[in-house]
Structure formats: structure tokens, C-alpha cells
Amino acid sequence: MRGEPPLEKLEDDKVLVWPDLVYTELICMIICTFVLVVWSIALKAPLEPPATTAKAPNPSKAPWYFLGLQEMLVYYDPWIAGVLLPLMIIGGLIVVPYIDYNQKGNGYFTFIQRKFALTTFMFGFVVLWVVLIALGTFLRGPNWNFFGPFEYWDPHKVLELTNVNLSTMFWKALGDDASTIVWYKREIPGMILVFAYLVLLPPILAKTVMRGFFVRMGFLRFFTLVTFLQFMAALPIKMLLRWTLNLKYIVFISEYFFNI
């Protein structure tokens, strides 16, 4: 024994609660309080009259914490936006600790050692939830029409419904009428696209850009991760297709109320 201090003492990187931690928390509290006070003064939020079935408000909006789900209903059927995607969110949060192979960053804050995990979480929370709430709160007006930031919310605004299904676009390009074709033939293009996205894409990722993840995680954990990532990416993909191509459904089987 050479009388040296413990190894933990030699690598002591601890900081004091006061003033380091408490001072930082105090500054954050002051900033948040200031933002909330300005927000409450600038944003008009008068109490509305008691609810009645004789007159429904226009637009009729859910509470702000459900506006993300209400916005998703614009792009997906209720069974996807209201059931499947929320179940995938809950299931993903449950399985995350079991599929995360990175042992670094436990017990302390770091971005460099957990870039993928933090980036994925921020994408899911900020892009797929906060942005949807902001769209539903500030940019959705009467009749759930889309209004610009400074555009007047005209209740008489009427938008032309130009959204079309993938099958309609496909068969029209071939000079045929999709409405005259039996459903299992009509929806072949959309079924092939969905099959390629959900089934063929994961093995391609395992052999290319995500090969390192596949080697470290193994078959089951990797394909579980990719499946949840695919469902996360499905929403912004569908939103972009709607905004750019006026695409309504990729698969439209109205005979059995099955639409994607």
C-alpha cells in the first residue's frame, strides 16, 4: 500500500449543487416563466359558452395534447391514425430498453456517445408530435382548412378536393379507368409498394447503410428497430406525398374499408 487515494478521488469530476446546478436551474426557471407570461398575455384564450349540440364550433378541435392525432386523421384512416400508430408509439417506448445495444451514456448526459438514440427520439417527439400540435393549433382553421400564419380564417373558404389514390393515378397513366377494375387487381401497385417498404427494405438496410447496426444488434433486435423506424417515417412520407402529389391513399380497398 502506497497510501494513494481511491481511484474515484483521482478522477473526481463532480460539481457542487450550489451554485453550479441550482444557478442553472434558476436561470431556466426565469426564462420559462418569462416565456409563459408573454405567451399568456399575447394569446387570446377566452372562455367559450357551454357546449351544446345545437351549435358546434368551427373548427371543432380536440384538446391541444390530442391535436397531433387529429392532424394525423387528415392523412390516414382512423384505424391507422387512432389505433395503429399510437399502439406503435407505446410499444416502441416499451421495447426501447431491450433493443438498445449501446451501453454508453448511462447516468450522465451525452450526445456524442448516443447520437442515433437522441436523434431518433428528437425526431419522434419534435417532428412527429410537437409539429403536428403546432399545425393543428395555429394553421388549421374553419372546416379544418389549412391557413397561412397571417391569413384570415374565412369560414366560407372552400378548397377543391383534388386528392387522388395511387391506383387512380397508375391506371389513368395507362389509359384505363380504375373504378371499373376489380379491387385486387386495381390495388396491385399500392400493395407492391407497401410490401417493398415493409418487407424488402429492412434486409436492404441490413446489408447497406445500417450494416453496423445489424452486426451489433443481431437479427431480432435489428428488425424490431427497423420496423418501428419505418412506422415513424411513414407519417412524414405520407404528408409529403399529400402536399406534393395530392396523394390520398396508397392502397384503397373501399369494398372492405381498408385504406392505407
Side-chain angles (χ1 to χ4, degrees):
M1 302 296 295
R2 295 181 295 181
E4 295 182 353
L7 182 61
E8 292 80 1
K9 186 65 176 177
L10 297 177
E11 299 179 358
D12 188 9
D13 56 353
K14 297 179 181 179
V15 295
L16 298 175
V17 174
W18 174 265
D20 299 289
L21 177 61
V22 176
Y23 186 75
T24 303
E25 291 177 342
L26 177 63
I27 297 299
C28 294
M29 183 185 68
I30 293 175
I31 294 175
C32 291
T33 303
F34 175 78
V35 172
L36 290 176
V37 170
V38 174
W39 182 284
S40 62
I41 295 175
L43 183 65
K44 296 181 180 180
L47 293 177
E48 296 184 357
T52 173
T53 57
K55 183 179 180 181
N58 186 14
S60 182
K61 294 185 178 182
W64 67 268
Y65 42 83
F66 282 142
L67 277 180
L69 293 176
Q70 191 171 357
E71 180 66 20
M72 283 193 288
L73 289 171
V74 177
Y75 311 99
Y76 284 103
D77 267 14
W79 72 273
I80 296 181
V83 179
L84 180 61
L85 291 181
L87 287 178
M88 294 298 294
I89 293 174
I90 297 174
L93 294 174
I94 293 174
V95 302
V96 159
Y98 301 98
I99 63 177
D100 185 15
Y101 67 91
N102 189 358
Q103 300 299 320
K104 298 179 180 180
N106 293 325
Y108 57 94
F109 296 99
T110 174
F111 179 78
I112 297 178
Q113 297 177 349
R114 303 192 66 85
K115 294 180 180 179
F116 178 79
L118 292 177
T119 302
T120 303
F121 175 81
M122 294 303 296
F123 175 82
F125 178 70
V126 176
V127 177
L128 300 185
W129 195 245
V130 176
V131 170
L132 292 180
I133 293 176
L135 288 177
T137 303
F138 301 107
L139 303 181
R140 289 293 183 180
N143 306 318
W144 207 252
N145 289 326
F146 189 87
F147 290 84
F150 301 101
E151 185 179 356
Y152 170 68
W153 283 17
D154 184 5
H156 305 290
K157 179 179 180 180
V158 178
L159 296 177
E160 182 182 2
L161 296 178
T162 57
N163 298 325
V164 294
N165 302 316
L166 177 63
S167 57
T168 303
M169 299 170 61
F170 179 81
W171 293 108
K172 183 178 180 180
L174 296 181
D176 205 345
D177 186 3
S179 61
T180 61
I181 304 175
V182 66
W183 69 267
Y184 53 83
K185 179 182 177 182
R186 180 189 68 223
E187 301 303 323
I188 285 179
M191 293 179 181
I192 293 176
L193 192 61
V194 172
F195 178 82
Y197 179 74
L198 294 178
V199 179
L200 301 183
L201 182 60
I204 295 176
L205 294 176
K207 293 183 178 181
T208 55
V209 295
M210 299 187 71
R211 178 172 176 80
F213 286 87
F214 179 72
V215 172
R216 290 189 292 267
M217 299 180 68
F219 178 86
L220 182 60
R221 287 199 297 176
F222 175 79
F223 280 94
T224 302
L225 171 66
V226 172
T227 299
F228 283 107
L229 292 178
Q230 286 176 299
F231 277 92
M232 286 179 58
L235 179 59
I237 290 175
K238 189 69 177 294
M239 294 172 68
L240 290 175
L241 292 175
R242 175 69 62 85
W243 295 342
T244 57
L245 302 178
N246 294 324
L247 182 66
K248 186 176 182 181
Y249 292 122
I250 298 175
V251 175
F252 178 66
I253 308 178
S254 58
E255 293 83 353
Y256 296 99
F257 306 101
F258 182 85
N259 308 311
I260 300 177

